[in-house]
Amino acid sequence: MKNTNTLIIFGHPNPDSFNGAILKAIENKLKEKQYKFISKNLYQLNFNPILTMNDFARMRNSTVTEDIAIEHRDIEWAKNIIFIYPVWWAGQPAIVKGWIDRVFSRGFAYAPQQDGTVKGLLSDKTVMVFTTSGSSEENMNQSGISAAMEKVMMEGILGFCGISTMLYKNLYEIPATTDEQRNIMLDEIDYLINAI
């Protein structure tokens, strides 16, 4: 039987934001598809995003703190991982970046090989990334920021961890959009979630 377990990583401080609307739309779609899912609101969980010397020491000994062990168990349970977060300063909010720093740890998400290469250990996962930004698509494309954001997340992070089945979708000019435009965006997300 196909594994449809889905883990959602939500990284916006306001659950009533448009990011929150994206989260609700995805949760509703997963319920409709009768998928089991876990939603993690990193702000509500008060997730500690700071990678410490203790974290490094534990990684060297192939252990992690209990808060990270919980995240690892949820990733192992999931076939699909969905990220939802706003773009701040052309990247993830600190709490999302810190989640990646601490959770995609050596020995869990990747493993250095004796020949100097790195083996990604999460190749069985499917990942979707939904982000929002205040700038226009034209401005972000002309500046190269859109391509850079996607490359860092999809290749520098997810690809490094062995993930090859992934989708990145940024939604532009959110503060200036109308309710009608936002509904069109949510319909597109609903359609994209059908792919998992």
Side-chain angles (χ1 to χ4, degrees), residues 8 10 14-32 37 39 84 186 189-190 193:
I8 305 171
F10 179 76
N14 182 4
D16 295 324
S17 63
F18 185 59
N19 279 252
I22 294 170
L23 173 63
K24 287 174 189 163
I26 290 173
E27 288 176 337
N28 287 338
K29 187 63 176 184
L30 294 173
K31 287 175 188 173
E32 179 187 311
F37 65 90
S39 284
I84 305 165
L186 293 175
I189 289 169
D190 182 88
I193 294 297

Side-chain angles (χ1 to χ4, degrees), residues 66-169:
E66 182 53 31
D67 62 333
I68 300 306
I70 291 168
E71 302 304 312
H72 285 181
R73 286 193 292 270
D74 289 340
I75 291 172
E76 287 169 345
W77 168 85
K79 168 63 177 173
N80 310 305
I81 303 171
I82 299 173
F83 289 89
I84 305 165
Y85 58 85
V87 172
W88 291 347
W89 296 105
Q92 299 100 353
I95 202 165
V96 176
K97 182 57 168 63
W99 186 91
I100 292 167
D101 288 346
R102 295 189 68 215
V103 174
F104 284 179
S105 57
R106 176 184 174 138
F108 175 77
Y110 67 94
Q113 305 296 291
Q114 289 185 345
D115 64 0
T117 62
V118 174
K119 180 181 180 182
L121 302 178
L122 301 179
S123 59
D124 62 327
K125 307 300 176 189
T126 296
V127 177
M128 289 185 162
V129 181
F130 295 101
T131 59
T132 59
S133 59
S135 297
S136 71
E137 184 170 7
E138 181 181 10
N139 287 343
M140 291 182 74
N141 283 341
Q142 284 181 351
S143 66
I145 290 174
S146 285
M149 288 186 329
E150 184 171 346
K151 189 174 186 69
V152 167
M153 185 61 171
M154 305 308 267
E155 295 181 35
I157 298 173
L158 301 175
F160 186 82
C161 295
I163 299 164
S164 60
T165 305
M166 48 192 165
L167 174 142
Y168 185 100
K169 177 69 180 176

